[in-house]
Amino acid sequence: MKLLVSTVSAALLALPVFSKTLPITLDIVNAQGAPDGFSRSMVTANGTYPGPLITATKGDTLVVTINNKLDDDTMRRSTSLDFDGIFVNTPNSFDEGSSFVTTCPVAPDASYTYTIPLVDGQAGTFWYHSQLSVQYVDGLRGALIVYDPEDPLKHLYDVDDENTIWQVGDWWHNTTLPLLAGYVATGIVPVSDSGTFNGVGRYNGGPDVPFHVVNVVQGTRYRFRIINTSARNVFTISIDSHNMTIIETDGTPTQPMTVNSIDMLAGQRHSIVVEANQPVANYWINAPYVGGDPTRNLNQNATLSRAILRYKGAPAEDPSAPMSLGPAGAALNALVEANLRPLVASPAPEADINITLNLVVTAGKAQWNVNNVSYLAPEVPTLVKILEGANSADDFNVTENTFVLPANKIVQVIFPPSIDDEAHPFHLHGNNFWLIKSNSSEEINTQNPIAGVGSTGTIMRFSTANPGPWFFHCHIFWHFQAGLATVMASGLEETRKEVNPTKAWDALCPAYDALPADLQ
């Protein structure tokens, strides 16, 4: 299914620039689709994969109503949305859709409205996806772009619109309930059938689905916003005969850095500037991926994960160059994450609290542990417990892996290197943080660190000035589902003072708890 600019984004683009409240409606429905040529039922927003593009301007408020119309019993039928990378530090922080941390899922045939103010001048490249179990593997994921009319890097590009958004993702032919049952039975994480680029892909032996085409005009500079919407796979992005200048990483403007290859972990986002300065022709955009042993799924052929950069005036045909995995050897100028710097330096304050998170898998089982605890979602969400008076770690189940932190402190989190072959991108909900050590370097940089993702071999710091329970989990969602998660509960008393739930939020848990298991 090709990327569709739905009526949602079209309506948003038509709003006047002074608009502050953006009403958005997403019908969460099962729809038949064939992103890579294999037809299956999916979980979608408004019937498309990826879901409708949501756009906003810095300072706006998103009012997102979801209508849960799911009815396919091979997948979860309740749902919940996470607005990935968006800060949530207002009295409406309960609208951050972390299932069983800040909220309960939305039941079938029910609706819920999330109110998300875009605070602190936040702008950049984000996305939304289901935060219930591994449901977004079934297709519920889409781009969320917050534009900055005063972007300090705007002089570097000419075009930045709905046609310059690249969403790469992994894709499975089977639905998640049987996939998850197989994972639990074997301890082997499912291997994707294919990769998609803006909603289309190919697999071994499958039909020649037309590659997505990115149209450019010679002499024009484009800001391409790349989002890895995967539940597991690491994608490597490059463009034949073209360089890429990175100007944003995970929502933070960066000092421009020119490379020709970028590795992107699950959930990561980058903005790049590409100048269409080559002869008029068709060029491959390479997006190969890794994620598990490909011999476990013979449909997989990462070389088929790609798109076409087509200059105006070039014939409507595939590039004549061979399909490669991108530049290699002496030609390779790959991104080294440790070399990225924010456009405006934000020194990391000294740490008040130190936490080491050891990530270990239980051999032969679908179980991951953080400091010897495998996270298990509680029946009563963490935020509900806090609002009802929880004051210490003893008030939470051990399996909730909840770190109770005082307000207005700086926390340093150390991830020792892992013995397995995956990077485990850790994502902290509702907050920004300082990545003072990347896994690509031994350097400790506290003067001008970027705000990347935590992962094995990294060190990060964050502030607890934003009260609330914040999910901190691996963005390989199979690992997250198997226990690779914690909750950072900042300022419990401050949370009780500042969070003011609505009646609609209060009604979510009773409605969900009353459902039979097959509807949850």
Side-chain angles (χ1 to χ4, degrees):
M1 300 174 70
K2 290 190 176 180
L3 178 71
L4 301 177
V5 180
S6 74
T7 55
V8 170
S9 59
L12 293 183
L13 291 171
L15 289 171
V17 295
F18 53 80
S19 177
K20 293 298 180 184
T21 300
L22 305 181
I24 300 157
T25 299
L26 299 176
D27 289 334
I28 311 304
V29 298
N30 294 118
Q32 202 72 19
D36 62 2
F38 180 90
S39 183
R40 57 156 288 189
S41 177
M42 306 186 302
V43 176
T44 71
N46 292 7
T48 70
Y49 170 76
L53 168 64
I54 296 176
T55 62
T57 300
K58 182 175 68 174
D60 287 344
T61 295
L62 303 176
V63 180
V64 183
T65 298
I66 63 170
N67 301 311
N68 185 356
K69 301 180 179 181
L70 297 174
D71 56 11
D72 188 328
D73 62 6
T74 67
M75 295 169 279
R76 294 292 290 265
R77 285 188 274 181
S78 293
T79 195
S80 186
L81 277 193
D82 174 40
F83 303 88
D84 207 293
I86 296 296
F87 305 157
V88 186
N89 55 0
T90 73
N92 291 329
S93 61
F94 57 87
D95 270 344
E96 200 273 335
S98 300
S99 295
F100 310 111
V101 177
T102 59
T103 185
C104 279
V106 180
D109 299 318
S111 299
Y112 186 74
T113 298
Y114 300 91
T115 301
I116 309 293
L118 301 172
V119 296
D120 293 341
Q122 191 172 21
T125 305
F126 309 95
W127 61 302
Y128 63 91
H129 59 77
S130 171
Q131 189 68 41
L132 177 62
S133 182
V134 291
Q135 189 182 57
Y136 91 71
V137 170
D138 288 312
L140 183 46
R141 29 185 159 160
L144 166 58
I145 308 301
V146 182
Y147 293 103
D148 181 0
E150 301 175 341
D151 179 8
L153 296 170
K154 196 170 185 177
H155 63 285
L156 296 179
Y157 56 88
D158 306 306
V159 180
D160 175 24
D161 59 24
E162 67 272 17
N163 297 310
T164 62
I165 300 165
W166 297 355
Q167 298 178 68
V168 294
D170 39 23
W171 190 248
W172 280 263
H173 291 171
N174 208 347
T175 54
T176 46
L177 291 186
L179 283 173
L180 194 55
Y183 179 29
V184 171
T186 65
I188 299 171
V189 179
V191 174
S192 70
D193 292 277
S194 63
T196 61
F197 190 110
N198 279 359
V200 294
R202 292 184 182 182
Y203 66 95
N204 275 335
D208 289 339
V209 177
F211 293 112
H212 178 78
V213 175
V214 178
N215 292 297
V216 297
V217 176
Q218 191 180 47
T220 304
R221 303 167 302 169
Y222 295 84
R223 176 177 182 162
F224 293 115
R225 298 172 181 264
I226 314 172
I227 309 168
N228 183 355
T229 67
S230 290
R232 182 179 192 183
N233 291 354
V234 180
F235 281 78
T236 300
I237 307 299
S238 64
I239 311 169
D240 284 1
S241 303
H242 293 74
N243 287 323
M244 305 176 291
T245 300
I246 299 170
I247 62 169
E248 176 210 357
T249 295
D250 294 327
T252 299
T254 62
Q255 295 179 19
M257 175 185 291
T258 299
V259 299
N260 64 10
S261 179
I262 303 174
D263 285 344
M264 298 186 65
L265 304 180
Q268 281 194 303
R269 299 101 58 202
H270 289 291
S271 279
I272 61 172
V273 174
V274 176
E275 184 176 358
N277 58 5
Q278 296 300 304
V280 171
N282 292 293
Y283 299 87
W284 289 121
I285 304 172
N286 309 298
Y289 55 87
V290 294
D293 181 353
T295 65
R296 295 189 183 278
N297 190 336
L298 298 183
N299 284 332
Q300 188 179 105
N301 183 346
T303 306
L304 297 177
S305 180
R306 58 187 54 252
I308 298 171
L309 188 75
R310 176 167 295 155
Y311 279 65
K312 184 177 181 180
E317 61 187 27
D318 289 355
S320 58
M323 296 183 188
S324 76
L325 299 179
L332 180 62
N333 177 26
L335 167 65
V336 177
E337 182 185 63
N339 294 336
L340 284 171
R341 297 290 182 266
L343 185 64
V344 178
S346 175
E350 289 298 314
D352 302 301
I353 300 168
N354 285 278
I355 298 173
T356 297
L357 298 182
N358 286 290
L359 315 181
V360 179
V361 65
T362 301
K365 294 185 178 181
Q367 181 177 339
W368 276 90
N369 305 280
V370 181
N371 292 358
N372 297 316
V373 176
S374 182
Y375 177 83
L376 183 65
E379 292 184 4
V380 178
T382 311
L383 180 57
V384 174
K385 292 183 179 181
I386 293 171
L387 295 178
E388 291 178 347
N391 278 314
S392 71
D394 293 337
D395 294 321
F396 303 95
N397 299 330
V398 171
T399 52
E400 292 179 67
N401 220 355
T402 298
F403 291 81
V404 174
L405 304 168
N408 302 309
K409 299 295 183 181
I410 300 298
V411 178
Q412 177 167 280
V413 179
I414 300 170
F415 290 94
S418 174
I419 61 173
D420 73 315
D421 62 352
E422 299 196 66
H424 304 295
F426 258 67
H427 166 65
L428 178 63
H429 284 219
N431 293 267
N432 211 346
F433 56 82
W434 299 273
L435 185 68
I436 66 170
K437 181 191 176 300
S438 168
N439 61 10
S440 61
S441 171
E442 294 304 312
E443 176 191 9
I444 302 295
N445 173 19
T446 61
Q447 294 306 305
N448 53 359
I450 60 167
V453 297
S455 62
T456 50
T458 68
I459 302 174
M460 54 161 286
R461 293 177 185 171
F462 69 93
S463 169
T464 63
N466 186 14
W470 304 112
F471 217 4
F472 191 35
H473 63 84
C474 181
H475 224 297
I476 298 174
F477 259 49
W478 302 103
H479 292 168
F480 149 66
Q481 176 63 21
L484 204 54
T486 70
V487 176
M488 298 293 168
S490 302
L492 302 191
E493 187 59 40
E494 288 77 6
T495 300
R496 284 187 281 272
K497 291 178 180 178
E498 296 188 20
V499 173
N500 302 299
T502 62
K503 291 182 179 179
W505 181 87
D506 282 333
L508 286 174
C509 285
Y512 179 81
D513 292 341
L515 293 172
D518 65 324
L519 292 180
Q520 291 184 335

